[in-house]
């Protein structure tokens, strides 16, 4: 008896799902709709706009790494941790969070310019999506060109064979992005080298003292770690590192 009741309920539910009523037809949304404006601009349906937005969110980490100051900051902080010899302190989550919010602080003038020139006019329907993307890319282009070495840019121009590029404003993003990332890697390792020097001197001094005392079985890292932490704290190292990283993007 119970099985019969269950089968009847399933059959009734399936029957209602298969019925097409006018109310359901009116409430549905068309998946693809293209509306042409007065000036010839085309506006796509909300479904496609949401799909484009979700697709953009998947590309957001790559854009963060290749178009902002995040790469340089993260590499410098990782090299600082290695120079201190503290292992996993601070943890990767702490370094990622610090790098992210410092990136937001450094890139805030660029974000504000993008918001004023592209996002707000687009939301007010003064410009279409193509013009908004073009206006939004210009502040990032100026920031990336300022931080990119000419030698790296010329390298990728030579590799691509685009010898007809006459000025920096005509450089496409396909060439600017790898040149910018290469320059950021070079700058980050140069800063990391300067950070390593004082800690390397402490390691050498401690190792020499232990060797002269005949303590060859004692690891120099155990003795030098407290001295390196003390030097970093007394010199207010975190403030110096943050200030140096922020200034490296604004000092030409």
């Amino acid at each position: 008896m119970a099985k019969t009741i269950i089968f009847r309920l399933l059959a009734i539910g399936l029957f209602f799902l298969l019925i097409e009523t006018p109310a359901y037809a009116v409430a549905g949304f068309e998946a693809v709709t293209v509306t042409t404006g007065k000036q010839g601009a085309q506006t796509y349906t909300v479904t496609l706009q949401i799909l484009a937005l979700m697709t953009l969110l998947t590309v957001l980490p790559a854009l963060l790494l290749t178009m902002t100051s995040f790469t340089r900051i993260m590499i410098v902080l990782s090299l600082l941790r290695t120079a201190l010899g503290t292992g996993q302190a601070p943890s990767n989550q702490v370094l990622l969070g610090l790098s992210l919010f410092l990136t937001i602080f450094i890139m805030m003038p660029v974000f504000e310019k993008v918001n004023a020139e592209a996002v707000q006019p687009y939301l007010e329907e003064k410009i279409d999506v193509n013009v908004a993307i073009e206006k939004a890319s210009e502040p990032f282009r100026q920031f990336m060109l300022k931080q990119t070495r000419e030698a790296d840019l010329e390298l990728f121009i030579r590799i691509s064979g685009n010898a007809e590029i006459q000025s920096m404003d005509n450089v496409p993003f396909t060439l600017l992005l790898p040149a910018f990332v290469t320059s950021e890697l070079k700058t980050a390792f140069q800063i990391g080298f300067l950070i390593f020097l004082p800690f390397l001197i402490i390691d050498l001094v401690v190792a020499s003292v232990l060797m002269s005392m005949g303590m060859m079985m004692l690891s120099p890292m155990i003795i030098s770690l407290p001295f390196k932490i003390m030097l970093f704290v007394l010199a207010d190292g975190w403030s110096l590192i943050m200030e140096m990283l922020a200034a490296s993007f604004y000092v030409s």
Side-chain angles (χ1 to χ4, degrees):
M1 186 64 179
K3 291 183 179 180
T4 304
I5 296 175
I6 292 175
F7 284 139
R8 288 181 179 178
L9 291 176
L10 290 177
I12 294 172
L14 182 61
F15 175 75
F16 279 108
L17 288 176
L18 294 177
I19 291 179
E20 294 184 1
T21 60
Y24 288 113
V26 172
F29 293 97
E30 296 184 3
V32 179
T33 302
V34 181
T35 304
T36 303
K38 297 180 180 180
Q39 300 179 355
Q42 292 182 341
T43 303
Y44 296 92
T45 184
V46 178
T47 306
L48 290 180
Q49 294 181 13
I50 294 176
L51 178 61
L53 179 61
M54 297 303 294
T55 304
L56 181 62
L57 291 178
T58 60
V59 189
L60 189 60
L63 297 179
L64 179 67
L65 291 173
T66 57
M67 298 180 63
T68 66
S69 57
F70 182 84
T71 300
R72 182 190 303 186
I73 297 171
M74 187 63 193
I75 292 177
V76 170
L77 293 181
S78 299
L79 292 176
L80 171 63
R81 183 176 63 180
T82 303
L84 283 171
T86 54
Q88 294 298 319
S91 63
N92 292 330
Q93 291 81 359
V94 174
L95 294 184
L96 284 172
L98 184 59
S99 301
L100 178 60
F101 285 102
L102 187 58
T103 298
I104 295 175
F105 171 76
I106 293 173
M107 300 294 296
M108 188 56 65
V110 179
F111 294 154
E112 291 177 350
K113 193 172 182 180
V114 170
N115 181 64
E117 297 181 358
V119 177
Q120 294 302 323
Y122 175 73
L123 295 178
E124 296 173 0
E125 298 183 355
K126 295 181 180 178
I127 57 176
D128 58 5
V129 62
N130 295 325
V131 177
I133 293 175
E134 183 179 354
K135 288 183 175 294
S137 62
E138 188 59 29
F140 284 97
R141 175 188 292 274
Q142 297 299 326
F143 171 80
M144 294 164 65
L145 283 174
K146 186 176 180 181
Q147 304 299 326
T148 304
R149 291 179 171 85
E150 293 185 3
D152 296 328
L153 193 56
E154 292 175 355
L155 169 65
F156 286 95
I157 292 176
R158 185 173 66 253
I159 293 174
S160 63
N162 293 329
E164 66 274 6
I165 297 177
Q166 301 297 330
S167 63
M168 294 296 182
D169 296 332
N170 298 328
V171 177
F173 268 98
T174 54
L175 298 180
L176 182 58
L177 283 176
F180 171 73
V181 175
T182 304
S183 297
E184 287 295 284
L185 291 175
K186 289 183 179 179
T187 304
F189 277 91
Q190 289 177 355
I191 297 175
F193 170 76
L194 297 177
I195 293 175
F196 255 92
L197 287 179
F199 301 112
L200 179 61
I201 293 174
I202 293 177
D203 288 334
L204 291 175
V205 171
V206 171
S208 301
V209 172
L210 291 178
M211 288 291 292
S212 62
M213 296 176 63
M215 299 181 179
M216 293 178 292
M217 300 300 295
L218 182 62
S219 175
M221 294 295 298
I222 300 176
I223 307 299
S224 63
L225 179 59
F227 291 100
K228 289 190 289 186
I229 294 177
M230 181 182 65
L231 173 65
F232 190 72
V233 171
L234 292 178
D236 198 9
W238 287 113
S239 298
L240 293 177
I241 293 295
M242 297 300 106
E243 182 181 2
M244 177 267 301
L245 284 173
S248 65
F249 288 96
Y250 294 109
V251 178
S252 57

